[in-house]
Amino acid sequence: MNFKKKIFLLICLIVCLFSMAIYASDVNHTDFNSDFNKSHFQCCSFAIQEENQTVFAFRQDAEGTGDGVAIHNDKVNGIDAIVQEIDAPGYHFIHAIVTEDGWVAGHGGDSSNESDTMALEDIAFEMLSSKNISSDSLGKIQKIFNKYGYGHFFIKAPDGSYGAVYNETFLMGELRPGEFLVIPNEYSGFSGGNYTNYSTDPVDAIVEISSYEDSGWNRRNLYSYDYKLHDADEGQKYGVDVYVTNDNGQNVGLNTSEIVTYCYFNDKLYPASEIPENPDKLQIGTQIFENESMDFIFELVSRLDKVLVNSNSSYPIGK
């Protein structure tokens, strides 16, 4: 091969390698920041149904700002509840609510418009107060999500009846004892199954289920709420054990352990350095409710033999 041909082939090889490098760089950048993947910067809710028990969890997947969360006892339309919200001055966004009578609600999505956030919460509070998951209320929340193209809202009664809302649709169904749901910010990831495939302990199971759910890229803190009977001085009362886990991304091929943030439980600070990595968890507090209606709860539990609505729509989560 003469010298000119060698030079020509060398130039062609350099151009090809340079083009491949640019192409690879562009693909990685586009995949990470495109509108199609914007839910990767957001959050996910999880729910497990058991007899006389609900385990609910919320994972933070939003881009890190350094802000943690404040978990505290509060009143929701006169109902005693545990509330999880972003801890940032002048900023309002509630992630999760667990009420004294065993209702749970979770909300993830765009938080830039406070008036829309407040409107959604008003609808949620009305359902929690009336103890009625209505298609009309879920439809109103769907219209809010229509503005943003993604997001999720979830609400569940103690008997397993639930509503889930996305910008495309909303669903109403019922969880039976032993079943779980995963509710990310895109309807395509809505899924469920039997939690005992992960662990016989429902709190350990929800931590593991979250670790294999792969919609979130900026995976930080998972907060788990175990609503069940507790021994108290006056006998057994319902309460919530609260746990936190650093979802480090290891089970979905990511390494996000360094972006874990702090949290408060009723004004007690838990710094990021104290939060253990998946699959471990740290119990940060317990809230015993004094005014829950036991008769109402047992009446709801007695209805747990209903057939799960939309049971054929569940999607398995890899393990």
Side-chain angles (χ1 to χ4, degrees):
M1 184 182 294
N2 62 39
F3 179 76
K4 288 184 179 180
K5 285 185 178 180
K6 289 181 180 179
I7 293 295
F8 176 77
L9 290 174
L10 179 61
I11 292 173
C12 289
L13 178 61
I14 292 172
V15 170
C16 288
L17 290 173
F18 182 72
S19 298
M20 289 173 64
I22 294 175
Y23 176 76
S25 175
D26 286 346
V27 168
N28 289 336
H29 179 79
T30 301
D31 282 351
F32 194 80
N33 293 295
S34 68
D35 287 341
F36 179 77
N37 285 320
K38 60 188 172 185
S39 71
H40 290 164
F41 306 116
Q42 303 299 330
C43 306
C44 188
S45 293
F46 306 84
I48 282 177
Q49 182 71 38
E50 259 304 346
E51 294 186 21
N52 304 320
Q53 182 179 12
T54 290
V55 181
F56 182 68
F58 188 93
R59 191 185 66 218
Q60 287 181 279
D61 296 333
E63 288 182 286
T65 61
D67 296 323
V69 305
I71 302 167
H72 54 92
N73 185 230
D74 206 342
K75 291 288 185 180
V76 175
N77 284 18
I79 303 172
D80 202 14
I82 287 290
V83 176
Q84 174 188 319
E85 58 185 315
I86 292 291
D87 179 52
Y91 184 83
H92 178 82
F93 195 89
I94 292 177
H95 288 151
I97 300 169
V98 183
T99 72
E100 61 184 340
D101 47 7
W103 286 70
V104 298
H107 170 210
D110 194 289
S111 58
S112 61
N113 188 321
E114 188 168 311
S115 63
D116 281 343
T117 298
M118 297 293 286
L120 186 152
E121 289 175 8
D122 286 343
I123 299 168
F125 293 162
E126 193 281 327
M127 285 192 283
L128 292 171
S129 297
S130 65
K131 305 184 191 336
N132 178 38
I133 303 172
S134 72
S135 58
D136 180 64
S137 296
L138 298 179
K140 290 177 181 177
I141 293 175
Q142 184 188 349
K143 288 181 179 179
I144 295 174
F145 285 148
N146 285 159
K147 299 180 182 180
Y148 306 100
Y150 75 112
H152 82 269
F153 173 78
F154 179 74
I155 184 169
K156 189 186 77 65
D159 69 345
S161 302
Y162 70 83
V165 185
Y166 293 93
N167 70 293
E168 307 99 323
T169 188
F170 65 85
L171 307 93
M172 299 177 71
E174 188 169 333
L175 280 175
R176 294 178 295 190
E179 294 180 326
F180 72 86
L181 282 178
V182 173
I183 312 98
N185 272 346
E186 290 185 348
Y187 174 55
S188 60
F190 181 80
S191 60
N194 190 314
Y195 80 80
T196 59
N197 292 332
Y198 296 85
S199 174
T200 56
D201 179 272
V203 180
D204 290 339
I206 214 164
V207 171
E208 188 169 357
I209 289 166
S210 172
S211 75
Y212 283 99
E213 194 283 327
D214 62 358
S215 70
W217 283 30
N218 299 288
R219 306 164 73 93
R220 291 185 282 150
N221 302 38
L222 175 78
Y223 298 96
S224 303
Y225 300 88
D226 187 9
Y227 177 88
K228 62 183 180 181
L229 281 170
H230 290 71
D231 291 327
D233 293 339
E234 305 85 358
Q236 287 193 313
K237 287 185 174 291
Y238 274 92
V240 181
D241 295 328
V242 184
Y243 302 86
V244 61
T245 298
N246 175 358
D247 188 320
N248 51 27
Q250 65 181 3
N251 287 341
V252 291
L254 299 173
N255 181 9
T256 60
S257 60
E258 296 302 317
I259 61 175
V260 63
T261 55
Y262 67 90
C263 63
Y264 286 94
F265 180 80
N266 285 340
D267 297 325
K268 181 178 180 180
L269 173 65
Y270 291 87
S273 60
E274 293 184 10
I275 298 176
E277 294 188 35
N278 159 57
D280 294 329
K281 61 186 185 295
L282 172 68
Q283 184 172 351
I284 59 175
T286 296
Q287 178 68 39
I288 304 296
F289 295 118
E290 297 297 328
N291 301 313
E292 74 279 12
S293 171
M294 303 296 287
D295 291 339
F296 171 72
I297 292 172
F298 287 123
E299 177 186 347
L300 291 174
V301 170
S302 70
R303 297 165 50 199
L304 284 171
D305 59 348
K306 289 183 177 180
V307 176
L308 176 64
V309 178
N310 297 328
S311 60
N312 293 328
S313 64
S314 295
Y315 303 93
I317 294 180
K319 185 179 178 183

